[in-house]
């Protein structure tokens, strides 16, 4: 075909690989008949072997390669594979004498752009096949480049999402999770394998504002996040992308700040009260002492003595209230029992009378440290030593301090159902006259005392400190003396064991599966199909139910007032709420006040038993 003058033609480089001389002449003649087509010309080179073709290809980089599959140094489809390794983007046209359907199929799989049978095509057909193959190769190359760019772009975006500090979760229009990044997996406490495909029906669908969310974790606690949502179209599908910023640490700091402020205010209030009361008590005590020096009759001296004792008791009460107010915060750190005992002994030895001997039994070298507030442990032991010293003040005797690791078979633990726990015991024993039988049942109530000049806050403070550390207390007392043992948990997992659980869920499947898991673990299970039935069942069996497993289902949300009612009826009750991955913010106010733990759905039987094991241990930590 003719071209307008001055038109620049494109020269297509063609490599013909043909070992048969006659076939090579036919190809040359046919190509020569169409040396020019529109704006294209042909620059033709020839090779008779695969090796020669490879060298030629590296030198000239052909656009089109015409190849016979059967060469002296290569046979069949392997010839195509060898060429494709050298010419990844070249258009390859097979010209063969073998009209084999299987060979044609293999050629297609080898990414061949054209296929001709010798003797069955004309020069025009050859030309059209070459040009179509070249155009196809060009399009395939552009497609491959575009695909590679797209793949790189997707990889960049995925890398960006994966390394974002904020959690990113993508769902389809129904709320089914399609993707979540590493930060989201860490925030939710679950792997992508557990969550992909899960439907989250309670997630907000509005893009107008941010939302505060409470997120249940595998350990039963909550983490908090601020979430915003954006709608988008991805691969032609409407999706919702959630961005969650973890504010758990910020909330914790805010809570700690509020707690410190509350404690500071309480301390200031206690200090102010102490100052004012001491100002009132000081002239009373001074005046009483002055009057005692001048009083002549016994009756007056007796009345003044009673006033002096009451003033001293008031001063001691103020001192202990102030001390208690200053010990609200727990600063947990590893403490070595031997060092605590030495600190307590070093404080009391200089002030104890010579009639009282203070002995410290050194703990074994392998006794583990306890994660606790050192100051509060020292305060608890000091209160016990002070009580023992008061008991021995007149008669004299011995006070013994000891610390050791409790064995699981310790009857003081097994009697409380704690035989599976690991504890360090701090012990204070004395050789006094024992605790009167009539006050043993009220021993840990505030202001209970057998000594008229003591306010009775010592053991109450000890109990408060031990409970804060999830420990327990054991007291053995008889006329030969008293031994008080403080158990502080070292910390390990505890199996479920014998526990009565009320399972409340509108889903029969959930009830059956949960009940089967719990019964296999040795639990006694009661079931309820609705919140109202759950409350009625609990009221009728409150004394025997240890844990309530309440399903806050999408179809039947569990009313929060019924949870509060159960907790009010039995304050020591442990409540586990089965809830969605992201829950409404109102649940946050129930954490550690009504709901003991949150178990996010979906959950495994291992997660369920681990949660109940922790709850069972926590429910058994109160002193007997």
């Amino acid at each position: 075909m003719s071209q307008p003058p001055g038109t620049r033609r494109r020269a297509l480089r063609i490599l013909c690989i043909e070992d048969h001389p006659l076939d090579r002449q036919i190809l040359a003649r046919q190509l020569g008949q169409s040396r020019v087509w529109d704006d294209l010309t042909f620059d033709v080179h020839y090779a008779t072997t695969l090796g020669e073709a490879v060298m030629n290809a590296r030198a000239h980089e052909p656009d089109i390669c015409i190849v016979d599959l059967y060469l002296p140094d290569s046979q069949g489809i392997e010839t195509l594979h060898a060429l494709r390794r050298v010419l990844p983007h070249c258009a390859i046209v097979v010209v063969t004498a073998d009209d084999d359907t299987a060979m044609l199929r293999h050629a297609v799989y080898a990414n061949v752009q054209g296929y001709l049978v010798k003797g069955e095509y004309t020069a025009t057909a050859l030309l059209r096949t070459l040009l179509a193959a070249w155009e196809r190769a060009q399009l395939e190359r552009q497609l491959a480049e575009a695909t590679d760019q797209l793949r790189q772009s997707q990889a960049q975006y995925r890398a960006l999402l994966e390394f974002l500090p904020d959690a990113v979760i993508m769902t389809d229009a129904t709320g089914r999770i399609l993707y979540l990044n590493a930060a989201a997996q860490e925030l939710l406490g679950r792997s992508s394998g557990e969550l992909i495909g899960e439907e989250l029906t309670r997630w907000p669908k509005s893009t107008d504002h941010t939302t505060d969310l409470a997120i249940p974790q595998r350990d039963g606690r909550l983490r908090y996040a601020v979430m915003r949502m954006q709608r988008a179209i991805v691969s032609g599908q409407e999706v919702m992308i959630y961005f969650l910023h973890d504010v758990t640490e910020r909330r914790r700091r805010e809570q700690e700040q509020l707690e410190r402020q509350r404690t500071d205010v309480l301390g200031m209030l206690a200090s102010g009260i102490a100052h004012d009361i001491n100002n009132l008590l000081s002239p009373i005590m001074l005046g009483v002492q002055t009057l005692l020096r001048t009083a002549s009759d016994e009756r007056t001296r007796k009345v003044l003595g009673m006033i002096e004792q009451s003033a001293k008791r008031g001063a001691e009460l103020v001192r202990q209230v102030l001390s208690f107010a200053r010990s609200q915060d727990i600063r947990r750190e590893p403490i070595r029992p031997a060092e605590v005992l030495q600190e307590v002994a070093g404080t009391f030895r200089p002030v104890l009378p010579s009639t009282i001997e203070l002995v410290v039994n050194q703990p074994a070298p392998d006794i583990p440290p306890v994660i606790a507030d050192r100051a509060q442990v020292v305060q608890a032991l000091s209160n016990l030593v002070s009580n023992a010293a008061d008991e021995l003040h007149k008669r004299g005797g011995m006070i013994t301090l000891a610390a050791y690791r409790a064995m699981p078979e310790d009857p003081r633990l097994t009697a409380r159902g704690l035989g599976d726990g690991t504890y360090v015991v701090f012990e204070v024993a004395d050789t006094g006259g024992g605790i009167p039988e009539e006050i043993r049942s009220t021993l840990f109530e505030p202001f209970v005392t057998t000594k008229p000049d003591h306010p009775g806050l010592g053991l109450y403070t000890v109990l408060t400190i031990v409970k804060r550390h999830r420990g327990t207390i054991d007291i053995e007392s008889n006329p030969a003396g008293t031994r008080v043992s403080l158990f502080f948990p070292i910390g390990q997992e505890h199996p479920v064991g014998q526990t009565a659980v009320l399972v409340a869920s509108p889903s029969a499947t959930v009830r059956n599966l949960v009940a089967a898991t719990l019964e296999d673990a040795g639990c006694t299970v009661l079931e309820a199909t609705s919140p109202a039935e759950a409350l009625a069942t609990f009221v009728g069996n409150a004394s025997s139910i240890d844990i309530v497993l309440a399903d806050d289902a999408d179809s039947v949300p569990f009313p929060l007032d019924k949870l509060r009612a159960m907790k009010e009826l039995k304050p020591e009750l442990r409540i586990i709420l089965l809830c969605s991955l992201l829950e409404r913010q109102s649940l946050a106010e129930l954490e550690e006040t009504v709901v003991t733990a949150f178990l996010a759905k979906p959950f495994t039987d291992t997660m369920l038993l681990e949660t109940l094991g922790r709850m069972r241990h926590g429910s058994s930590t109160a002193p007997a």
Side-chain angles (χ1 to χ4, degrees):
M1 297 183 181
S2 61
Q3 290 289 331
T7 301
R8 185 176 181 180
R9 295 186 176 94
R10 162 73 188 272
L12 287 181
R13 297 181 298 273
I14 299 177
L15 174 60
C16 294
I17 310 172
E18 176 61 67
D19 64 318
H20 197 281
L22 180 59
D23 291 333
R24 193 164 55 247
Q25 290 177 8
I26 294 174
L27 278 173
R29 185 175 63 254
Q30 290 175 328
L31 290 172
Q33 293 175 4
S34 303
R35 299 293 292 184
V36 177
W37 190 81
D38 288 344
D39 59 343
L40 298 175
T41 63
F42 296 152
D43 180 15
V44 184
H45 298 266
Y46 295 92
T48 59
T49 66
L50 179 62
E52 183 183 351
V54 169
M55 294 178 62
N56 191 295
R58 288 173 175 171
H60 299 286
E61 296 183 357
D63 299 305
I64 304 173
C65 185
I66 303 174
V67 58
D68 186 355
L69 295 181
Y70 298 97
L71 300 172
D73 56 350
S74 179
Q75 297 292 317
I77 202 68
E78 293 301 325
T79 303
L80 296 178
H81 292 317
L83 282 175
R84 185 56 73 194
R85 287 193 292 269
V86 179
L87 302 170
H89 302 295
C90 177
I92 296 179
V93 176
V94 173
V95 179
T96 179
D98 188 2
D99 187 9
D100 185 357
T101 305
M103 182 60 70
L104 174 61
R105 185 171 61 253
H106 287 307
V108 172
Y109 291 158
N111 193 21
V112 169
Q113 284 76 29
Y115 192 94
L116 293 172
V117 178
K118 294 179 181 180
E120 296 183 3
Y121 63 89
T122 64
T124 303
L126 173 63
L127 176 63
R128 290 174 179 172
T129 299
L130 294 180
L131 294 178
W134 178 67
E135 292 287 355
R136 178 182 170 188
Q138 292 293 103
L139 292 174
E140 288 177 352
R141 183 171 185 171
Q142 294 173 7
L143 178 61
E145 291 175 351
T147 302
D148 185 62
Q149 291 178 358
L150 179 60
R151 186 181 298 109
Q152 293 181 12
S153 177
Q154 290 176 340
Q156 291 173 353
Y157 281 116
R158 181 174 293 272
L160 178 63
L161 291 176
E162 286 298 323
F163 289 101
L164 276 178
D166 284 352
V168 179
I169 303 172
M170 183 170 69
T171 73
D172 61 17
T174 64
R176 194 174 301 278
I177 295 179
L178 303 175
Y179 166 81
L180 66 164
N181 66 353
Q185 296 177 49
E186 195 276 333
L187 179 63
L188 299 179
R190 312 286 282 280
S191 68
S192 60
E194 295 177 287
L195 296 176
I196 294 296
E198 283 299 321
E199 185 174 350
L200 304 169
T201 57
R202 292 191 180 183
W203 288 24
K205 301 298 189 293
S206 173
T207 61
D208 298 336
H209 57 276
T210 60
T211 304
D212 291 334
L213 294 173
I215 305 171
Q217 301 294 294
R218 298 185 78 151
D219 61 2
R221 297 193 176 276
L222 294 177
R223 290 178 70 172
Y224 301 92
V226 176
M227 189 201 73
R228 60 183 179 86
M229 191 271 285
Q230 181 66 49
R231 297 181 185 273
I233 302 297
V234 176
S235 300
Q237 177 184 7
E238 182 183 7
V239 299
M240 292 176 286
I241 304 176
Y242 297 87
F243 301 89
L244 294 89
H245 180 63
D246 190 351
V247 295
T248 304
E249 186 63 22
R250 187 185 74 188
R251 285 178 62 103
R252 185 188 64 80
R253 290 195 299 267
E254 292 174 351
Q255 187 63 31
E256 289 179 350
Q257 179 65 22
L258 291 174
E259 185 65 20
R260 281 195 294 270
Q261 292 175 355
R262 187 193 69 82
T263 303
D264 291 343
V265 171
L266 181 60
M268 293 173 60
L269 179 61
S271 298
I273 293 175
H275 178 74
D276 292 340
I277 294 180
N278 284 336
N279 286 339
L280 296 174
L281 293 176
S282 295
I284 294 175
M285 295 179 67
L286 290 173
V288 167
Q289 291 168 358
T290 301
L291 292 174
L292 281 172
R293 289 195 298 270
T294 60
S296 57
D297 62 289
E298 184 63 25
R299 184 171 180 275
T300 300
R301 295 181 64 84
K302 185 176 180 180
V303 172
L304 291 174
M306 293 172 58
I307 296 174
E308 182 182 31
Q309 287 183 353
S310 297
K312 288 181 178 180
R313 184 181 178 187
E316 177 65 16
L317 177 61
V318 171
R319 185 191 68 79
Q320 291 207 25
V321 169
L322 180 59
S323 174
F324 183 74
R326 289 174 176 170
S327 65
Q328 294 297 312
D329 288 334
I330 294 183
R331 293 175 175 83
R332 298 183 183 273
E333 59 179 339
I335 60 173
R336 297 188 177 279
E339 295 175 359
V340 173
L341 297 185
Q342 291 300 330
E343 181 177 345
V344 174
T347 301
F348 279 90
R349 275 183 176 137
V351 299
L352 288 176
S354 57
T355 57
I356 300 177
E357 180 183 6
L358 181 58
V359 177
V360 177
N361 292 338
Q362 290 299 325
D366 61 345
I367 185 172
V370 177
I371 306 300
D373 189 312
R374 184 188 186 95
Q376 293 196 20
V377 175
V378 169
Q379 180 185 358
L381 294 176
S382 298
N383 286 359
L384 296 178
V385 172
S386 179
N387 284 351
D390 290 338
E391 174 65 24
L392 300 175
H393 182 70
K394 294 182 179 180
R395 71 178 73 188
M398 179 186 296
I399 301 174
T400 303
L401 290 176
Y404 53 89
R405 184 171 183 164
M407 303 306 292
E409 61 270 15
D410 191 315
R412 295 169 296 176
L413 292 175
T414 56
R416 293 171 170 80
L418 303 179
D420 297 321
T422 306
Y423 295 82
V424 168
V425 183
F426 290 95
E427 201 164 82
V428 178
D430 65 66
T431 57
I435 301 173
E437 185 67 33
E438 61 271 13
I439 71 164
R440 291 188 183 183
S441 61
T442 58
L443 195 59
F444 293 103
E445 295 180 7
F447 310 112
V448 173
T449 180
T450 59
K451 303 172 180 62
D453 57 343
H454 282 66
L457 283 175
L459 284 180
Y460 177 72
T461 303
V462 172
L463 171 63
T464 302
I465 291 172
V466 173
K467 288 180 66 177
R468 286 177 188 157
H469 289 83
R470 293 187 172 274
T472 188
I473 297 178
D474 181 78
I475 295 180
E476 297 180 15
S477 185
N478 55 57
T482 299
R483 182 181 69 177
V484 182
S485 303
L486 309 182
F487 292 77
F488 287 83
I490 296 175
Q492 66 177 30
E493 295 183 356
H494 301 271
V496 175
Q498 297 294 328
T499 306
V501 182
L502 171 59
V503 179
S505 173
S507 169
T509 302
V510 171
R511 293 196 310 274
N512 293 337
L513 292 177
V514 169
T517 299
L518 297 182
E519 288 171 351
D520 289 343
C523 296
T524 301
V525 179
L526 289 80
E527 297 184 21
T529 60
S530 66
E533 183 183 347
L535 181 58
T537 303
F538 177 77
V539 171
N541 301 271
S543 60
S544 61
I545 294 177
D546 305 306
I547 296 175
V548 171
L549 200 66
D551 185 4
D552 192 42
D554 296 334
S555 57
V556 186
F558 211 99
L560 305 185
D561 58 339
K562 287 184 169 54
L563 295 177
R564 289 192 178 93
M566 294 182 188
K567 194 71 173 179
E568 290 173 359
L569 288 172
K570 189 174 183 178
E572 68 272 21
L573 178 69
R574 302 283 169 165
I575 297 177
I576 301 173
L577 197 66
L578 306 181
C579 51
S580 300
L581 280 171
L582 299 186
E583 264 300 346
R584 55 188 186 276
Q585 179 64 17
S586 58
L587 287 185
E589 67 188 46
L590 302 179
E591 186 178 23
E592 297 183 354
T593 57
V594 176
V595 176
T596 314
F598 299 85
L599 187 57
K601 296 180 286 189
F603 55 87
T604 63
D605 54 354
T606 300
M607 294 168 57
L608 174 63
L609 294 177
E610 285 178 354
T611 303
L612 260 72
R614 289 193 298 269
M615 296 308 98
R616 177 186 177 275
H617 173 61
S619 65
S620 304
T621 56

